[in-house]
Amino acid sequence: MNVLKELVKRVTGLSWEQLEKRTADAAKLTLIDTLGAQIFGNLEQENISYAERVSAEEAGKYAVLGTHYLLTAREAAFVNGCGAVATEMDEGNQWSKGHPAAHVIPTLLTYVQGMKNCTGREFLLALIGGYEASSRFGRATTLLPEAHAHGTWGVMGSAASAMLLAGTEESRFFEGVKLGASFALPTLWSAALEGSLVRNAYMGHTVQSGVRIPLLLNSGFRSPNGTVEYIFGRVLGTAFDFAVLNEPEGWDIERNYFKPYAFCRYAHAPIDAFGALLDEHGLEAGDIAKVEVLTYNRAATLDNKAPQNVLSAKFSIPYALAVRICTGNADQNSFTDPLLENRDIRRFAECVEVRGSEELEAVYPSAMPAIVRITQSNGQLHESRCDMAAGGPGVPLTRRQIEDKFRALSRKALVPERQEAILQYIWDLENRNHLSELIELCRGMEDSHK
């Protein structure tokens, strides 16, 4: 328990003067990346439909970013959370085995709208501290194999983020973390594999719960001692290891990955290894008889050869490789109805076999590896291994690539001048006096979702 108090002290006591430029820059890149994913995701049909129905019942003053909708704080938090993960373009952290920024940034961008004043420096400190708490909670948790990380340990990270913005005292912070743990959900990994959209709602619930924690805490709500250990060590997981909360030193926001492909991160190493073979040998779909993918066990669950909708396609390695060879891309444009129903793509996906490998499992999560073997129609065999896909530690995306990704994802909601103003604002965030200008810049036009 003392280790948790040390983590709380670290994130609540962080000051701007302590911060190194590389950490602040990492936070800004993470904000840009997540904001683009969130805006794009908020425009998904189900999120627009939900926002429209809710706004017809009860209007509010909190923005659903990328849209014109103004909802109550809790409903805006829900949609902003759903949107952050809806298109599988959000960043992640292999050490926490999840997506800390998706738990943290929609929470901050919603909660800040109810504050009288919040400077850019205060926002960045809350982002870095909230990310750290969220990622460390993920590191400490060993979830049940059938559980999805969304909606579980991230609720504590979302709560920590809101409390940091709210200025919650260190002495009460742990009570808020326990409250957050009490709202964790019994999630299912199969929701993603089957394409069940409740999987996105897991994140909506996480952000919604986090936004409420300061209010609950200030109103006198409490959770019992042992909440964290019980929920994550016995109900949703098999262990919560307090010892890893502060090891190794440094900030986890500097150890994350950014996605160049609109697929679950587990599919990225197969995509890169497959693409390397296509480029090296000049292969086309008609040249290939079979593709074998060996990877670590969690990634091997992405073996669906016939995904039925967009979400399940994002969790299908066979579809990822098929759309890559048939279109040359694996980005956010890979999930139109014509592509999902394309006979050539479906035919190629059938020839892709995905299996787990104990050798590759042994190096996860230090690496996120995949071996791809292609057997040509003439019998020739080609093999490539990728230990870390593009965007991860050691193979980072450049600032320009992340900015271009933001532009591509937010293009439907924001005109180019607005996009550039947002980027300029974020890179100068420490000199801004209030976040209201950023929120206003991120609001979409009334017809942006049509």
Side-chain angles (χ1 to χ4, degrees):
M1 197 65 66
N2 288 335
V3 180
L4 179 54
K5 291 180 180 179
E6 290 175 16
L7 175 63
V8 170
K9 184 175 182 178
R10 184 174 180 227
V11 300
T12 57
L14 180 64
S15 69
W16 185 256
E17 291 69 28
Q18 293 175 306
L19 210 58
E20 296 193 31
K21 184 178 184 298
R22 69 171 187 273
T23 311
D25 286 349
K28 293 174 183 179
L29 286 173
T30 302
L31 177 57
I32 290 168
D33 186 82
T34 306
L35 189 55
Q38 183 179 331
I39 289 173
F40 190 83
N42 282 350
L43 297 179
E44 290 288 279
Q45 180 180 352
E46 65 275 1
N47 294 329
I48 288 294
S49 178
Y50 184 90
E52 192 169 294
R53 292 167 188 271
V54 169
S55 65
E57 296 177 0
E58 184 181 11
K61 63 177 184 178
Y62 289 77
V64 176
L65 302 187
T67 80
H68 70 281
Y69 293 106
L70 292 173
L71 308 179
T72 64
R74 289 184 289 279
E75 293 294 6
F78 181 81
V79 182
N80 283 325
C82 289
V85 298
T87 57
E88 274 301 305
M89 291 299 278
D90 52 308
E91 70 86 64
N93 193 294
Q94 67 200 65
W95 306 107
S96 63
K97 301 180 182 179
H99 304 267
H103 300 91
V104 170
I105 288 176
T107 301
L108 295 175
L109 289 173
T110 304
Y111 191 86
V112 76
Q113 296 180 53
M115 297 178 65
K116 290 183 179 179
N117 189 52
C118 176
T119 67
R121 289 188 180 187
E122 290 169 337
F123 188 89
L124 279 173
L125 291 174
L127 196 168
I128 294 165
Y131 189 104
E132 188 70 12
S134 188
S135 184
R136 296 292 176 159
F137 294 144
R139 283 178 179 261
T141 303
T142 301
L143 288 175
L144 296 172
E146 58 268 28
H148 196 302
H150 290 358
T152 56
W153 49 262
V155 186
M156 295 187 290
S158 178
S161 305
M163 287 191 291
L164 286 169
L165 271 192
T168 302
E169 304 93 332
E170 179 188 331
S171 60
R172 302 176 65 210
F173 207 89
F174 179 52
E175 290 296 335
V177 170
K178 287 194 297 181
L179 276 174
S182 300
F183 289 93
L185 292 174
T187 62
L188 284 174
W189 176 241
S190 59
L193 301 180
E194 295 176 13
S196 300
L197 289 179
V198 70
R199 176 260 183 186
N200 297 343
Y202 295 159
M203 188 61 74
H205 166 83
T206 293
V207 175
Q208 186 180 67
S209 298
V211 166
R212 296 177 67 184
I213 292 302
L215 176 61
L216 289 169
L217 190 61
N218 292 336
S219 300
F221 287 85
R222 298 292 184 271
S223 291
N225 293 327
T227 294
V228 174
E229 303 95 306
Y230 173 71
I231 291 175
F232 297 103
R234 296 174 58 187
V235 179
L236 303 180
T238 59
F240 189 87
D241 185 1
F242 285 96
V244 305
L245 289 178
N246 296 292
E247 298 176 358
E249 295 181 355
W251 298 100
D252 269 11
I253 203 165
E254 298 178 35
R255 305 183 179 104
N256 63 349
Y257 62 74
F258 297 108
K259 292 181 177 180
Y261 311 126
F263 287 88
C264 171
R265 181 63 177 179
Y266 300 153
H268 287 218
I271 293 172
D272 276 355
F274 183 66
L277 290 175
L278 299 186
D279 293 342
E280 180 181 355
H281 302 286
L283 299 174
E284 298 181 356
D287 302 323
I288 298 173
K290 182 173 67 173
V291 180
E292 298 173 88
V293 178
L294 301 178
T295 187
Y296 47 101
N297 294 338
R298 190 65 157 182
T301 63
L302 276 62
D303 61 353
N304 185 359
K305 297 183 178 184
Q308 298 303 305
N309 61 15
V310 171
L311 183 57
S312 60
K314 290 176 178 291
F315 285 79
S316 166
I317 290 174
Y319 179 81
L321 302 192
V323 78
R324 167 65 177 81
I325 196 170
C326 291
T327 70
N329 296 304
D331 60 13
Q332 67 272 13
N333 300 309
S334 301
F335 305 94
T336 62
D337 287 340
L339 289 178
L340 289 170
E341 298 166 6
N342 184 279
R343 291 183 179 181
D344 292 333
I345 291 174
R346 286 188 169 272
R347 188 180 301 115
F348 191 89
E350 285 293 332
C351 80
V352 179
E353 299 289 340
V354 182
R355 301 195 307 275
S357 161
E358 291 307 312
E359 174 192 352
L360 300 185
E361 174 69 16
V363 298
Y364 174 73
S366 298
M368 303 180 76
I371 296 172
V372 174
R373 295 172 182 153
I374 292 178
T375 302
Q376 288 189 229
S377 302
N378 62 11
Q380 282 189 284
L381 180 66
H382 309 288
E383 180 177 305
S384 179
R385 174 169 175 162
C386 176
D387 284 320
M388 186 61 65
V395 281
L397 299 185
T398 65
R399 170 176 167 172
R400 178 59 183 269
Q401 286 175 309
I402 293 173
E403 289 179 342
D404 284 347
K405 177 183 171 183
F406 168 81
R407 294 182 181 101
L409 290 175
S410 62
R411 183 177 296 129
K412 187 176 179 182
L414 308 173
V415 297
E417 293 78 10
R418 188 82 67 91
Q419 292 176 318
E420 299 312 309
I422 290 170
L423 291 172
Q424 182 179 354
Y425 187 99
I426 291 175
W427 283 114
D428 190 42
L429 194 53
E430 65 269 31
N431 297 313
R432 304 290 180 164
N433 292 323
H434 202 286
L435 268 290
S436 57
E437 183 181 352
L438 178 61
I439 299 300
E440 190 60 32
L441 286 171
C442 291
R443 293 198 64 201
M445 303 303 163
E446 188 163 354
D447 62 349
S448 62
H449 62 274
K450 294 180 181 179

